[in-house]
Amino acid sequence: MKTLISAWFRIPFWQRVLGAFVLGAVVGWLVGEPAGPWFQPLGTLYVNLIKMIATPLVFFAVINAVAALHGQKSVAALGGRTFLWFAITAALAVGVGLVTAAVLRPGLGVGQLHVAEPFKPRDVPGPMQVLLDVVPTNPFAALAGGKILQVIFFAGLLGFALVKLGEKTARLRELVREASDAMIQVTRFVLELTPLGTFGLIAALVGTYGFERLLPLGRLVFALYLACALHIVFVYGGLLLAHGLNPLRFFRGAAPGMQVAFVSSSSFASLPVSLRSVTHNLGVNKDYASFAVPLGASIKMDGCGAIYPAIASLFVAQYFGLELSASQYFIILLASVLGSFGTAGVPGTAVVMATVVLSSAGLPLEGLGYLLAIDRVLDMMRTLTNVTGQMLVPVLVAREEGLLDEAIYNRASTNVGLEKDVAKAE
């Protein structure tokens, strides 16, 4: 038995996940609709386990990070540079989405579509309300509800308080550090179930949706997937090259987070894996990563908040035969970049962002109802793009600020540290 387990863990993490993905797709296709109720519980169990560890992991990691970064690097300077790269990459993502949709024209030739029954335009909170919502009225409720921005705010404040009190809180700071290490170990335990969760999620998805639901909007699905792929390969790859980093090493190290993002369609559920990938595989300083990656999981949405609203806007305009003016293109760009920050923490980010952009550009909101039938399929690639960007920006900033261990980066692993547990057990 021990030999079998050792052989399993000697297979690279990404290969285990990819194998489960392929097997799940085949099983879902063969079984059909019953695959949903049969295999979805496996995927749900895995996603619930990931969500279970995400909030306490962020809470202890941010407190520990703020205390550790104090006196080494200015937290404000690091935060400002991180926000700047968030905005730059978001603007580039909107550009890629607009160009792809303009060339492929996914809104033409799709016939008469029916609005999905459950569709209702989303109410979008105002900018002031979003800012007020960052501050928790009850930090324990924020922890219980998994409101990451509120958790980051409270944990950061608590971390500054521990630093301000100095030696009085030395033992408490040590306890927080140990709690953070304990949560990292729990994360490693949960990650071992990633192949099982991947199998359940993909089998249920393929069995439930099949391929026939994609045919009427196949060009839109292709446009979104292509735009996201172009953004990841050329924009992200180009930025890495400009920083003197090998893009292939980045994608190798980021692969576990990207895989979990694709199958779970959740930046929040991917957070523990992406944080582990950034630190263990790519060599980003753990204290900075513990601040930047959770922040990115809340507000860095290149797929949902930039590429998708841009493509959806042109799809709606093309479907209804509307010509967009230069000012409308600019509004789409501006609303996508600023709106992705403004809708941070709001459930259903992609639909909310598309609502914001369509409203700003004066396009019919009813057009969104046509896209809901395939939203789950679109969300897989959108989330993969989100999470890849959430891992990219900390690498770029760490490179600029001397917080990147290039030796670790250049030998980028794909196993997020799981293989060490097996080595110790043998």
Side-chain angles (χ1 to χ4, degrees):
M1 185 64 179
K2 183 183 292 187
T3 304
L4 185 62
I5 294 174
S6 299
W8 169 255
F9 278 99
R10 277 195 291 271
I11 302 172
F13 182 83
W14 70 271
Q15 291 183 11
R16 283 178 262 154
V17 176
L18 180 61
F21 181 96
V22 173
L23 182 61
V26 171
V27 170
W29 176 65
L30 292 175
V31 173
E33 288 193 11
W38 288 3
F39 299 113
Q40 183 61 43
L42 287 176
T44 302
L45 173 64
Y46 173 70
V47 172
N48 288 347
L49 284 170
I50 290 287
K51 290 182 177 180
M52 173 190 74
I53 62 177
T55 301
L57 176 68
V58 169
F59 179 68
F60 289 116
V62 170
I63 297 175
N64 188 50
V66 170
L69 283 173
H70 183 79
Q72 297 181 27
K73 293 283 183 179
S74 169
V75 177
L78 283 173
R81 189 174 288 271
T82 303
F83 268 105
L84 177 62
W85 275 113
F86 283 172
I88 291 172
T89 50
L92 293 172
V94 176
V96 171
L98 289 174
V99 171
T100 304
V103 172
L104 297 182
R105 303 181 70 80
L108 298 182
V110 295
Q112 292 298 311
L113 300 175
H114 298 285
V115 178
E117 291 298 330
F119 174 72
K120 292 181 181 178
R122 299 289 298 270
D123 292 327
V124 181
M128 184 57 65
Q129 185 60 46
V130 171
L131 290 175
L132 291 175
D133 285 343
V134 172
V135 182
T137 55
N138 184 338
F140 297 103
L143 286 165
K147 297 181 178 179
I148 292 295
L149 275 184
Q150 295 186 358
V151 170
I152 292 174
F153 179 87
F154 179 69
L157 196 61
L158 190 54
F160 278 119
L162 295 181
V163 172
K164 186 69 174 177
L165 292 172
E167 288 305 310
K168 292 181 181 179
T169 58
R171 287 178 296 177
L172 183 53
R173 288 201 303 273
E174 180 65 17
L175 180 62
V176 168
R177 186 187 66 78
E178 292 174 355
S180 180
D181 289 342
M183 285 308 307
I184 290 172
Q185 183 59 55
V186 173
T187 298
R188 291 167 70 181
F189 292 151
V190 173
L191 293 186
E192 294 178 14
L193 298 175
T194 298
L196 182 64
T198 298
F199 171 80
L201 289 167
I202 295 303
L205 178 70
V206 173
T208 301
Y209 279 77
F211 299 104
E212 62 278 359
R213 296 184 68 177
L214 302 180
L215 294 179
L217 292 169
R219 189 181 294 182
L220 174 67
V221 175
F222 177 73
L224 179 83
Y225 273 62
L226 178 63
C228 289
L230 292 174
H231 184 65
I232 290 171
V233 173
F234 292 104
V235 175
Y236 292 165
L239 290 173
L240 288 164
L241 286 173
H243 282 74
L245 298 172
N246 186 328
L248 294 179
R249 297 292 183 186
F250 170 80
F251 292 124
R252 175 179 170 81
M258 296 169 69
Q259 288 175 319
V260 173
F262 188 78
V263 299
S264 69
S265 298
S266 171
S267 294
F268 183 58
S270 308
L271 175 56
V273 193
S274 55
L275 179 57
R276 184 70 179 162
S277 298
V278 165
T279 55
H280 178 271
N281 294 0
L282 298 173
V284 176
N285 176 276
K286 291 182 179 179
D287 298 318
Y288 167 61
S290 297
F291 157 76
V293 177
L295 182 65
S298 297
I299 66 175
K300 175 61 176 164
M301 305 289 173
D302 282 357
C304 291
I307 293 176
Y308 177 66
I311 291 179
S313 297
L314 265 67
F315 170 85
V316 170
Q318 291 162 4
Y319 181 78
F320 287 105
L322 305 174
E323 290 292 333
L324 296 179
S325 65
S327 61
Q328 284 177 304
Y329 279 107
F330 178 74
I331 289 171
I332 291 171
L333 172 64
L334 191 63
S336 297
V337 174
L338 298 180
S340 61
F341 296 132
T343 55
V346 179
T349 302
V351 177
V352 172
M353 275 304 308
T355 301
V356 169
V357 174
L358 289 174
S359 299
S360 301
L363 295 171
L365 288 179
E366 292 78 10
L368 281 180
Y370 303 141
L371 310 182
L372 288 187
I374 59 166
D375 191 68
R376 179 66 175 83
V377 176
L378 298 176
D379 205 24
M380 297 168 73
M381 192 62 178
R382 291 189 312 229
T383 307
L384 183 147
T385 308
N386 292 346
V387 171
T388 306
Q390 292 158 17
M391 292 186 283
L392 172 86
V393 169
V395 170
L396 299 182
V397 175
R399 170 70 168 172
E400 295 171 348
E401 296 291 333
L403 297 173
L404 181 70
D405 188 328
E406 293 189 47
I408 294 177
Y409 182 92
N410 289 326
R411 64 170 185 266
S413 169
T414 60
N415 272 2
V416 291
L418 298 182
E419 71 284 359
K420 292 183 179 179
D421 293 333
V422 180
K424 290 178 182 178
E426 292 179 335

